[in-house]
Amino acid sequence: MLLDTSGLLCLLHRAEPYHERACGAYEAAHDRLTTDYVVAELIALATVRRLRRRNVLTFVKDLLDNPDIETVWVDELLHREALELLAQRQDKTYSLCDAVSFVLMRQRKLDEALTTDHHFEQEGFKILLV
C-alpha cells in the first residue's frame, strides 16, 4: 500500500480520528511504499497542526530508516509524469504530491492507500481510512 500524508499523520498523532484504524491497516500491509514528496508534505502538515517538531522529525527519521518501508525519491522523470497527469486532470484539485503517488501506484500495481484523501478514489484507488 502507499503511505500518504494523511495516513502517516494518523499513525503519528494519536488524537487523529483514524489513528487506530491506520495502525491496524499499517500492521496488516505486506508492502509499504511512500515518497520523499509525501514526507515533505507530512512535515508541513504537522507544522500547521502544531505538532511537536521533535516528535515529527523522530517519526520521519524512523520512517526513512525502516527497512519495511520503501521510500521512493522522486526523480525528474517521475516528476514530469506527475505533471502530465495534472495536465490531463485539470478538472481535479490534485496536488503534485498526489499525482506523483498516483503515477507511482500505477507503476507498482498498487491499489490501496493509507489515506483519508478522496482524490485517490477519484483516480480509482481504494482508500483505507474512511
Side-chain angles (χ1 to χ4, degrees), residues 52-70:
R52 291 188 60 209
R53 193 146 184 94
R54 173 181 288 147
N55 294 350
V56 173
L57 295 176
T58 298
F59 179 85
V60 166
K61 182 185 180 311
D62 291 346
L63 181 142
L64 294 174
D65 291 342
N66 188 330
D68 295 326
I69 300 172
E70 179 185 356

Side-chain angles (χ1 to χ4, degrees), residues 2 32-39 63-64 69-75 78 100 104 107-108 110:
L2 181 108
R32 298 176 190 102
L33 179 75
T34 195
T35 71
D36 58 327
Y37 283 24
V38 167
V39 171
L63 181 142
L64 294 174
I69 300 172
E70 179 185 356
T71 302
V72 174
W73 300 88
V74 177
D75 60 11
L78 181 53
V100 165
L104 187 60
Q107 288 175 350
R108 300 293 184 92
L110 298 175

